[in-house]
Amino acid sequence: MTTLRELKAQQGEIREISKAVLNLMTPEQQSVATIAKITHTLLCDLCDKVTIHLAEEHQGIFPTLLSRGDQKVKNMVWGFINNDKPLRDSFGKYKKQWLKECNYDVTPAFIKETRQILEMLEERLHLEDTSMIPRLEEVGAFAQA
């Protein structure tokens, strides 16, 4: 099972990259080829980290929690599982459109969509921080981790 420390470390890395990308996401910054390349690399890393984070939740946290008897925890977990689909779909479309084969096309649409993706991601992390993690700590889900 994924530990609370690991989950929070993943969140921290995702937030750090997301914040860096957000700060670079201006037409002026992206007009500099080196900055655009760094942004592209950071976005690829971010997508990989989000994919790993969600997979670890689904493989290392959610199954254990669903096997517990506490119905409130089970309901919360199912809520997260159901809310993952839009996030995964959005990330998949984003990666396919903007990050495929190192074709990095900086347009106003790219900047707008990147900001939207980062906002969605921050909303998810906020939900984890304010809903999932406190509930898991409350029921002692990480007691052995």
Side-chain angles (χ1 to χ4, degrees), residues 25 27 30 97-98 104-114:
M25 207 42 53
Q30 294 303 299
Q97 180 175 358
W98 298 111
Y104 188 64
D105 187 21
V106 178
T107 64
F110 166 75
I111 292 172
K112 180 181 177 184
E113 195 164 333
T114 299

Side-chain angles (χ1 to χ4, degrees), residues 79-126:
F80 273 93
I81 290 170
N82 292 331
N83 286 327
D84 278 356
K85 184 165 176 31
L87 181 62
R88 287 177 187 261
D89 288 348
S90 294
F91 258 91
K93 289 175 187 172
Y94 178 84
K95 279 178 75 169
K96 191 178 270 188
Q97 180 175 358
W98 298 111
L99 302 177
K100 64 182 177 191
E101 300 173 17
C102 293
N103 293 335
Y104 188 64
D105 187 21
V106 178
T107 64
F110 166 75
I111 292 172
K112 180 181 177 184
E113 195 164 333
T114 299
R115 288 183 180 278
Q116 289 172 339
I117 285 288
L118 295 175
E119 287 172 13
M120 281 180 66
L121 181 57
E122 182 53 39
E123 287 174 21
R124 167 56 185 249
L125 294 175
H126 179 74

Side-chain angles (χ1 to χ4, degrees), residues 12-64:
E13 290 173 359
I14 290 168
R15 279 195 170 106
E16 188 176 290
I17 294 171
S18 182
K19 185 177 178 181
V21 168
L22 200 53
N23 288 331
L24 296 172
M25 207 42 53
T26 66
E28 298 80 23
Q29 295 264 13
Q30 294 303 299
S31 67
V32 178
T34 304
I35 294 174
K37 175 72 172 156
I38 290 168
T39 304
H40 182 263
T41 301
L42 287 171
L43 284 168
C44 290
D45 289 349
L46 179 65
C47 287
D48 291 343
K49 288 188 182 300
V50 168
T51 299
I52 290 168
H53 180 73
L54 294 175
E56 286 199 15
E57 285 181 342
H58 280 264
Q59 296 167 2
I61 295 176
F62 294 162
T64 302

